[in-house]
């Protein structure tokens, strides 16, 4: 911790991928207010392969509606809360549903599988393990919604990827997620499992809401590109180089 604080003191510029992360950098590295401007927020980009499938739709030939989670299983990701919301959803939802977790299991965190078994939904929770780029894009395109109930995010790349694919997004409004999501997602309190389940059901039972979210996502994601990220990063490098000269 002392080393990181010293690095923060010496650095002429610090790049964070969101303004929210930048505020955390300023706070945790004890950067004085009069030097906080050296922390620059430069958003990540989105690859062009993340795009809507013009042939995709909410009806998947009788298959269960899939709610998708993409990411690791660390406790701050709140997978247990997601499983609890999914269990509530299954009790009231008029259509079959399943929860797909795109990412590897982590033996350090056995809470989610145990909770799935306790709630009797283990049969409807699918762990995919690692997905190739093409398989991940297809998972987004096929999902009824991406659900990310994290208690903290420094950026939230799955939210951006899902929006670019035209997939409805339900996520918590913490950390950088509101900054990245704009007006496109449905935001929820990560600890309000009943509300989360309610919003998941709305995406399935209110076609107008789902259609609106599918339109908002690509519009919001269009403001992010790796070229823009590179150009802004290069600008910071040039400013630092000029100052050193």
């Amino acid at each position: 911790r002392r080393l990181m604080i010293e690095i923060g003191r010496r650095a002429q510029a610090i790049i964070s991928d969101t303004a929210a992360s930048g505020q955390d950098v300023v706070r945790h590295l004890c950067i004085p207010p009069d030097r906080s401007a050296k922390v620059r927020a430069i958003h990540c980009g989105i690859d062009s392969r993340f795009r809507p499938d013009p042939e995709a739709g909410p009806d998947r030939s009788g298959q269960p509606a899939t709610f998708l989670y993409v990411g690791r299983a660390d406790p701050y990701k709140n997978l247990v809360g997601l499983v609890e919301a999914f269990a509530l959803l299954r009790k009231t939802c008029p259509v079959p549903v399943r929860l797909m977790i795109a990412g590897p299991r982590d033996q350090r965190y056995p809470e989610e599988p145990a909770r799935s078994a306790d709630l009797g939904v283990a049969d409807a929770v699918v762990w995919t393990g690692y997905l190739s780029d093409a398989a991940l894009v297809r998972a987004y395109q096929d999902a009824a919604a991406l659900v990310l109930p994290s208690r903290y995010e420094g950026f939230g790349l799955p939210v951006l990827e899902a929006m670019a694919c035209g997939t409805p997004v339900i996520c918590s409004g913490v950390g950088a997620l509101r900054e990245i999501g704009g007006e496109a997602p449905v935001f929820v309190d990560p600890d309000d499992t009943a509300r989360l389940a309610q919003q998941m059901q709305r995406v399935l039972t209110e076609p107008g809401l789902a259609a609106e979210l599918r339109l908002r996502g690509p519009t919001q994601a269009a403001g992010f590109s790796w070229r823009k990220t590179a150009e802004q990063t290069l600008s910071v490098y040039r400013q630092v180089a000029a100052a050193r000269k």
Side-chain angles (χ1 to χ4, degrees):
R1 184 177 298 174
R2 288 194 297 270
L3 176 61
M4 291 304 301
I5 290 174
E6 180 62 17
I7 290 172
R9 186 186 70 81
R10 295 187 186 190
Q12 291 177 272
I14 298 173
I15 296 173
S16 65
D17 51 17
T18 58
S21 294
Q23 293 170 3
D24 293 336
V25 168
V26 169
R27 181 169 66 255
H28 291 293
L29 298 192
C30 304
I31 295 173
D34 62 342
R35 299 203 65 203
S36 62
K38 72 176 181 176
V39 181
R40 323 284 182 84
I42 299 177
H43 289 153
C44 297
I46 183 73
D47 192 275
S48 60
R49 66 176 176 269
F50 293 99
R51 59 185 182 273
D53 179 357
E55 299 181 359
D59 185 16
R60 282 291 171 182
S61 303
Q63 297 296 317
T66 299
F67 287 94
L68 177 66
Y69 167 88
V70 177
R72 300 191 308 272
D74 303 71
Y76 76 90
K77 294 288 190 176
N78 195 24
L79 271 179
V80 170
L82 175 55
V83 166
E84 291 173 347
F86 178 70
L88 291 175
L89 173 68
R90 283 191 88 191
K91 293 179 180 179
T92 61
C93 191
V95 298
V97 291
R98 69 172 180 166
L99 175 62
M100 178 184 290
I101 301 176
R105 288 183 182 270
D106 193 325
Q107 299 303 318
R108 296 174 298 171
Y109 310 122
E111 295 83 4
E112 182 281 324
R115 192 64 176 138
S116 294
D118 291 342
L119 295 171
V121 297
D123 62 312
V125 178
V126 179
W127 285 76
T128 68
Y130 173 79
L131 292 179
S132 66
D133 290 343
L136 179 59
V137 172
R138 174 50 60 188
Y140 282 125
Q141 292 172 338
D142 287 348
L146 172 83
V147 188
L148 189 69
S150 300
R151 294 192 174 93
Y152 179 84
E153 288 289 344
F155 186 84
L157 195 58
V159 167
L160 180 57
E161 292 172 345
M163 291 191 303
C165 289
T167 304
V169 174
I170 304 169
C171 65
S172 56
V174 301
L177 293 180
R178 288 189 181 273
E179 181 179 341
I180 298 305
E183 300 297 322
V186 171
F187 292 107
V188 296
D189 182 333
D191 294 313
D192 190 343
T193 54
R195 177 70 172 169
L196 177 56
Q198 180 188 54
Q199 296 305 319
M200 292 166 73
Q201 182 159 322
R202 287 187 66 209
V203 169
L204 295 181
T205 59
E206 298 182 23
L209 172 63
E212 180 64 24
L213 295 176
R214 291 190 195 97
L215 288 174
R216 291 181 194 171
T219 300
Q220 175 69 10
F224 298 80
S225 74
W226 285 118
R227 182 178 184 84
K228 184 176 180 180
T229 303
E231 290 173 345
Q232 292 178 345
T233 302
L234 180 59
S235 176
V236 172
Y237 273 65
R238 284 173 171 161
Q239 291 171 19
V240 171
R244 290 178 65 86
K245 289 180 183 178

